[in-house]
Amino acid sequence: MQERYDIAIVGAGVVGSLIARELSRFPLRTALVERCRDVGQGTTKANSAIVHAGFDAKPGSWKARMNVEGARMMPALCQTLHVPFEQCGSLVVAFAPEELPELDRLLERGRQNGVEGLRLLSAGELRAMEPGVNPGAAGALYAPTGGIVCPFGLAIAAAECAVSNGVELYRNFDVEKIEQSGDFILYAKDGRSMRAAIVINAAGVHADDLARMIGDESFHIRPRRGEYLLLDSAQAGVVKRTVFQCPSKMGKGVLITPTVHSNVLIGPNAVNVEGKDDLSTTDAGLGELREAMRRSVPDFVVSGVITSFTGLRAHCDRDDFILEASARHPRFLHAAGIESPGLTAAPAIAAYMKALTLRALGPEVKAAKTDWLPGRPKPVRLTELSREEQHAVIAENPAYGHIICRCETVSEGEILDAIRAPAGARDVDGVKRRTRAGAGRCQGGFCGAKVVELLSRELKLPMEEITKSGGGSRILVGKTKTGEGDGDDV
C-alpha cells in the first residue's frame, strides 16, 4: 500500500533534517527521505565545519540574510540539541599591503549585513592574537561571532529530534521519478513509492535533478569539489581561531581551523567537476593545501595527518540560495543551491521553509503540538564526564565501562546508544559520526572489528552484511578455510 504524507522532505542533510525538526512541531504526517543509508551523508559530512560570521555574502542576498540569522540562532540550537559548538571567532588575513583593501570591503559588507563586533587588526594586533600566523602579514579582519560546530552531529541531532516527534525517516530512498496526480508521487529506484501533498527539495547537489522531475529547469547545480586534510589532536593549538586567506572568485579560500573535537582542519581547495559523486582526493589537490598553509602559518609542519577527504558544494548558477516555491507547482518548494555559508544558515533556512510550507498548506494546518520536544536526551560522552560521573553511569550500565575505541575513549555503551537512537547508526561510519569511535589516530584499526560485531548483534544481521558506509562497502567478504573447520571471518 502506498503511504501518503502531508510533506515529503527530500534530502536528510543538515538543512533537510533541521526542516524536518521545525515541521515536527505540527500534527502533520511528514517523511524525511534520504538516498543514502544515513542522514548527513552528502555535503553535510564533508565541509569546513565553520559558523561564518556573515561578512562575505552580498548584502541583501539570501546568503547574507540567512547567514547572519543562522549564526545568531546556532548557539542556543546547539545547546538544545547537545551538539558541540564553540564561538572561537575568525580572522581573514591580508598577507601583503595590496590585500588590505579587500579587508575594508569585507568590513563594509559585514556592517551592511548586520554582523556585530567586526574590526580591523594591525599586523601587531594579529600577531598578539595568533602568534603562529605569518609574521609578514599586513593585517586582518576579526569577526568575534565566527565559530565552529560539528556539521554531521547537528544533522544527526536534528533528525533524532524530528523522528522522536513523529517524522518518518526513509533510508536508501533514491528518488528517480516524480508524478503529479493531485498529490506528488515519489518513486525510488528500488521500487518503493509514496505520495505527498507537498515536496520540499533539499537534495543538495542533486536538487536540480529533482526539480527536473517536475519539469522545473530554472536553475543548474554544478558540483564544486573541495579537498581537506584532518590532523591529529596533537596539533591542537596551532591556531585558536579560524584563519581564512583573502577570498577569490572561487570561494573563501583555504583555511586552517580548530575543530570542536580538538583536531586541526585544513582546506578546501575549489575545483568545478561534473560528477555528483566524485569524492576523490588527488596528490595535486592535497599538495595545494599544504602550500597554501605555508603561506598562512609558515612554521607549521603538516604532519600528523590522520585522514584526507573531499566534499562537494552545491554551486548554483544563480549564485545564491533558492528558497521558494517552484514556478511549475506551488507545493513543490526549493531549499536548493545551499553551498557555503549553508551550514551556518541552516537553522534560519529551516525556520523560513517551515513558514513557506505552512503558507502552502493553508487551512490544512492545525495548531502546533503542545507536547513537542525541542531537543533530545543528552548523549553520554565519557570524555566529558568527571571521574565521579563516570563511576555513576558505569554503575547504572556496565557497558559504559567497556572501552571499545582507545584513541577517543569511546565505550560500548555509547556505541549501543548510537545504534538504538531514533535515526540511529546502521553502519561503521554512522557509529563513527555519532560517537567518534574510529575517528582517532588509528582510524578504526583497533576498534573497527568490535564495532562491526556490535552492529551485527544489534541490527540482527550477519557480520558480512555490515558495511562501512552503506551500498557495497562491505567490510567482511567471506571466510577462509582452515582445515576441516568452519573457517574464520576475514
Side-chain angles (χ1 to χ4, degrees):
M1 181 178 175
Q2 200 173 64
E3 298 286 347
R4 185 195 184 271
Y5 294 88
D6 298 299
I7 305 160
I9 304 163
V10 182
V14 68
V15 171
S17 296
L18 283 169
I19 293 172
R21 173 182 176 269
E22 287 287 347
L23 290 171
S24 73
R25 298 170 183 261
F26 299 90
L28 298 164
R29 195 166 186 217
T30 302
L32 179 59
V33 176
E34 171 53 45
R35 68 191 289 263
C36 298
R37 200 178 187 190
D38 201 0
V39 303
Q41 284 281 73
T43 300
T44 296
K45 76 172 183 181
N47 60 70
S48 302
I50 299 300
V51 176
H52 292 281
F55 51 77
D56 184 65
K58 181 180 177 181
S61 65
W62 279 117
K63 287 183 178 181
R65 294 161 60 188
M66 296 291 108
N67 183 346
V68 175
E69 181 59 25
R72 288 176 181 150
M73 298 170 71
M74 191 68 75
L77 175 65
C78 289
Q79 184 175 26
T80 298
L81 292 175
H82 303 295
V83 174
F85 166 79
E86 296 176 27
Q87 199 163 55
C88 59
S90 62
L91 294 161
V92 183
V93 177
F95 295 101
E98 55 266 26
E99 292 183 338
L100 290 173
E102 178 66 13
L103 302 186
D104 293 328
R105 185 187 70 84
L106 293 174
L107 175 64
E108 179 56 28
R109 272 200 170 186
R111 287 173 173 168
Q112 290 182 50
N113 291 342
V115 181
E116 299 176 354
L118 288 174
R119 65 186 179 96
L120 295 172
L121 303 181
S122 67
E125 290 173 316
L126 170 61
R127 280 192 290 274
M129 189 174 284
E130 289 288 353
V133 170
N134 194 325
L141 175 65
Y142 174 51
T145 57
I148 52 179
V149 70
C150 179
F152 45 82
L154 182 56
I156 290 165
E160 286 186 9
C161 178
V163 171
S164 295
N165 283 294
V167 172
E168 297 179 50
L169 173 63
Y170 281 75
R171 305 170 189 259
N172 297 316
F173 196 104
D174 191 356
V175 179
E176 68 171 356
K177 183 174 69 172
I178 300 176
E179 292 181 354
Q180 298 173 58
S181 177
D183 292 334
F184 295 99
I185 307 173
L186 283 65
Y187 295 92
K189 290 182 178 179
D190 63 4
R192 289 180 292 168
S193 64
M194 69 171 68
R195 303 178 73 95
I198 284 183
V199 171
I200 300 176
N201 176 10
V205 296
H206 296 279
D208 57 341
D209 301 324
L210 198 75
R212 281 194 292 273
M213 294 179 193
I214 66 159
D216 184 344
E217 299 193 24
S218 61
F219 63 92
H220 174 67
I221 301 293
R222 185 171 188 184
R224 182 167 286 176
R225 188 177 67 195
E227 296 166 87
Y228 292 88
L229 293 167
L230 184 69
L231 279 65
D232 183 64
S233 57
Q235 301 285 355
V238 64
V239 291
K240 298 180 179 64
R241 299 160 188 84
T242 301
V243 176
F244 295 97
Q245 299 176 354
C246 279
S248 71
K249 65 179 181 180
M250 292 294 284
K252 297 177 177 68
V254 174
L255 61 85
I256 179 169
T257 184
T259 74
V260 291
H261 298 115
S262 300
N263 298 102
V264 176
L265 185 66
I266 297 171
N269 55 4
V271 180
N272 288 329
V273 295
E274 294 300 327
K276 293 188 175 183
D277 296 303
D278 181 5
L279 297 177
S280 59
T281 55
T282 64
D283 288 341
L286 299 179
E288 178 185 342
L289 299 185
R290 293 183 173 91
E291 286 300 317
M293 278 307 95
R294 291 189 183 99
R295 189 181 187 209
S296 294
V297 186
D299 295 333
F300 180 44
V301 178
V302 186
S303 59
V305 174
I306 57 176
T307 191
S308 59
F309 61 92
T310 291
L312 293 177
R313 286 160 272 180
H315 182 65
C316 179
D317 55 2
R318 294 197 200 175
D319 200 26
D320 200 1
F321 300 155
I322 302 173
L323 308 175
E324 63 191 28
S326 169
R328 299 287 297 183
H329 200 294
R331 288 192 167 196
F332 194 95
L333 310 179
H334 295 307
I338 312 298
E339 59 179 341
S340 181
L343 171 60
T344 310
I349 292 172
Y352 181 82
M353 294 303 296
K354 175 191 70 176
L356 198 63
T357 304
L358 297 183
R359 286 200 299 272
L361 284 168
E364 298 174 34
V365 180
K366 299 177 182 178
K369 299 173 182 175
T370 58
D371 59 349
W372 182 70
L373 302 173
R376 62 170 181 168
K378 184 177 182 179
V380 173
R381 297 284 183 264
L382 286 186
T383 56
E384 298 174 1
L385 302 180
S386 67
R387 183 66 70 178
E388 292 75 18
E389 291 169 329
Q390 289 175 350
H391 287 316
V393 298
I394 292 169
E396 185 175 341
N397 182 353
Y400 291 122
H402 182 201
I403 301 302
I404 300 297
C405 174
R406 289 179 281 176
C407 296
E408 297 291 320
T409 317
V410 180
S411 68
E412 179 179 346
E414 292 164 83
I415 294 171
L416 295 179
D417 289 346
I419 299 170
R420 295 169 181 173
R426 294 293 180 268
D427 51 44
V428 172
D429 280 0
V431 170
K432 178 180 179 180
R433 285 188 292 274
R434 288 164 174 80
T435 68
R436 293 193 58 75
R441 183 172 297 176
C442 82
Q443 288 288 286
F446 287 97
C447 65
K450 187 63 179 177
V451 171
V452 170
E453 181 183 336
L454 292 173
L455 281 163
S456 172
R457 187 183 78 196
E458 290 298 306
L459 301 178
K460 296 180 173 52
L461 292 172
M463 285 202 291
E464 59 267 27
E465 291 187 19
I466 301 301
T467 65
K468 180 180 185 295
S469 56
S473 60
R474 293 186 178 185
I475 295 172
L476 306 176
V477 294
K479 294 179 180 291
T480 55
K481 295 297 183 181
T482 55
E484 298 299 319
D486 291 333
D488 300 314
D489 288 327
V490 296

